[in-house]
Amino acid sequence: MSILNNAVASIQVGVEDYCSRDPRRMLSALRNLYAGILLLAKAYLSRQSPVDSNEALIKERVKLIRRADGQLSAVGVGKKTVDARQIQRRFADLGMPFNWKPLEKIREIRNNTEHYYFAGTEDQLREAMHDAHLLVHDLIGTILGEDPIVLLGKPCWDVLLEESAIYESEAQKCRKTLEVVQWPTERAEEASEYLCCPACASKLVRHNGPATTDAASLDLSCVACGAKFDYQQSLSALLNNIYFAEAHFAMTDGDEAPVERCPNCGGDTYVREDATCAYCGFKLPEDARCLVCNHPLSLEEFEQFAHLCGYHAHQAAKDD
């Protein structure tokens, strides 16, 4: 059976598990949907692998060999295939843009299940189905160039469409409670439609009480899990989700984190690529330099030492 056939079978079984409404099969539904989506991505990588490369793009290990004509070629080694993070990197290497955030949401909901029993709410599960619909639609229709109705079958596709539509209706009601808010920064305004719950990461976030233009005064709660929180907490959770992959790669490669603690408001909302805090608008001053060596201060040095770099702050502490 081909990778694509395996993907289709996994998604169909996941939808069947979901339709059973049996709590004992909800974990199976999430697992099968998640696995099926990864298999769809692998099917694309398999198609893009060079001929006679042993499907190099889907293999975890790749080695270079010299062919008879003297040219070097990459060849897949072993049976182990790429995981979710490696798939994302392979897509990036191929210059194929793709929004992986819905996949992370499905993974989070899947990880919140316990002992083969779905521990979340119906809204959380429906959100997973909505995200699955988005991913399946893009992977099958846009990436693989296939017709999802033909590939999955109309009954399976109709379930994904219906559950996605129900979820989107609830999401629109939530967004309406936030429509008059004046967001403090450009980044915050861009992210306003995707605010998420710090507890369960659901995007079904609503403001309770009278309409307000002040983001800092928002009284937020999650329709999916019932958690209550303020705007800064929600924005921090959203930025963590947006930059999840970048943060993982930065930690692995020893690079700077994409989102950090803001020295001004104390929230984990300072976006490094913007050089601005998405919550309060704080920017590192242009004259933030060490008084001794004139070297530009990092965000951490500015917060901890104000006017000295780490080296000269350490030297000053020793002199004391």
Side-chain angles (χ1 to χ4, degrees):
M1 183 178 284
S2 70
I3 295 175
L4 184 56
N5 288 337
N6 278 333
V8 169
S10 184
I11 292 169
Q12 289 173 334
V13 171
V15 170
E16 290 172 6
D17 286 334
Y18 174 79
C19 290
S20 74
R21 297 301 179 182
D22 184 340
R24 296 169 299 178
R25 295 178 62 180
M26 292 305 102
L27 177 58
S28 176
L30 292 167
R31 283 176 170 170
N32 279 304
L33 286 169
Y34 186 82
I37 290 164
L38 291 184
L39 285 168
L40 288 176
K42 289 181 183 181
Y44 167 73
L45 293 177
S46 177
R47 290 182 179 183
Q48 296 300 309
S49 296
V51 178
D52 299 328
S53 70
N54 192 28
E55 297 184 304
L57 289 176
I58 68 170
K59 294 300 176 67
E60 182 184 60
R61 293 178 55 227
V62 177
K63 72 175 182 179
L64 292 176
I65 64 169
R66 192 174 296 279
R67 299 193 180 276
D69 60 3
Q71 297 296 315
L72 286 175
S73 296
V75 176
V77 179
K79 295 182 178 180
K80 194 168 183 180
T81 59
V82 287
D83 60 19
R85 296 284 169 232
Q86 292 168 320
I87 287 173
Q88 293 179 36
R89 282 195 165 181
R90 298 281 167 90
F91 267 59
D93 291 342
L94 291 171
M96 176 57 72
F98 194 77
N99 178 20
W100 297 104
K101 298 301 184 295
L103 183 67
E104 298 300 332
K105 178 59 186 174
I106 296 173
R107 181 186 60 82
E108 288 176 11
I109 296 176
R110 185 201 63 183
N111 290 345
N112 285 335
T113 57
E114 297 178 351
H115 307 299
Y116 301 100
Y117 182 88
F118 183 66
T121 67
E122 184 175 353
D123 282 319
Q124 288 172 310
L125 186 57
R126 180 166 284 132
E127 186 166 357
M129 294 293 289
H130 167 72
D131 290 334
H133 165 251
L134 297 178
L135 289 160
V136 169
H137 175 272
D138 288 346
L139 282 168
I140 292 179
T142 304
I143 304 298
L144 293 171
E146 305 275 356
D147 186 336
I149 298 178
V150 174
L151 202 61
L152 295 176
K154 192 174 186 300
C156 177
W157 184 241
D158 282 349
V159 172
L160 290 173
L161 280 176
E162 181 180 359
E163 295 303 316
S164 182
I166 294 172
Y167 166 81
E168 187 56 37
S169 174
E170 188 65 41
Q172 287 180 7
K173 294 177 185 176
C174 291
R175 287 195 289 267
K176 190 172 180 61
T177 69
L178 302 168
E179 62 185 5
V180 300
V181 177
Q182 296 179 3
W183 306 103
T185 67
E186 183 177 346
R187 171 70 68 172
E189 185 172 3
E190 291 175 354
S192 62
E193 291 191 9
Y194 307 98
L195 287 180
C196 62
C197 171
C200 73
S202 171
K203 293 190 287 291
L204 294 178
V205 172
R206 60 170 290 119
H207 166 60
N208 305 291
T212 178
T213 60
D214 181 17
S217 67
L218 288 172
D219 177 18
L220 301 175
S221 65
C222 176
V223 174
C225 73
K228 296 183 180 297
F229 43 89
D230 60 31
Y231 170 61
Q232 187 182 52
Q233 292 171 316
S234 181
L235 182 60
S236 177
L238 172 63
L239 293 174
N240 181 64
N241 286 342
I242 290 175
Y243 289 98
F244 182 87
E246 290 88 341
H248 173 80
F249 296 144
M251 182 175 62
T252 302
D253 300 336
D255 296 332
E256 295 178 320
V259 180
E260 297 188 285
R261 183 177 182 273
C262 174
N264 184 56
C265 66
D268 294 324
T269 47
Y270 186 91
V271 181
R272 185 172 290 280
E273 69 173 337
D274 298 342
T276 305
C277 174
Y279 178 71
C280 70
F282 170 82
K283 295 178 179 287
L284 197 63
E286 293 183 3
D287 61 351
R289 292 177 173 272
C290 176
L291 292 176
V292 179
C293 66
N294 202 39
H295 191 275
L297 300 179
S298 68
L299 190 69
E300 296 81 3
E301 289 171 333
F302 179 82
E303 181 178 16
Q304 294 181 41
F305 313 123
H307 303 295
L308 296 173
C309 67
Y311 173 77
H312 286 107
H314 179 66
Q315 293 298 315
K318 287 173 59 178
D319 293 342
D320 291 344

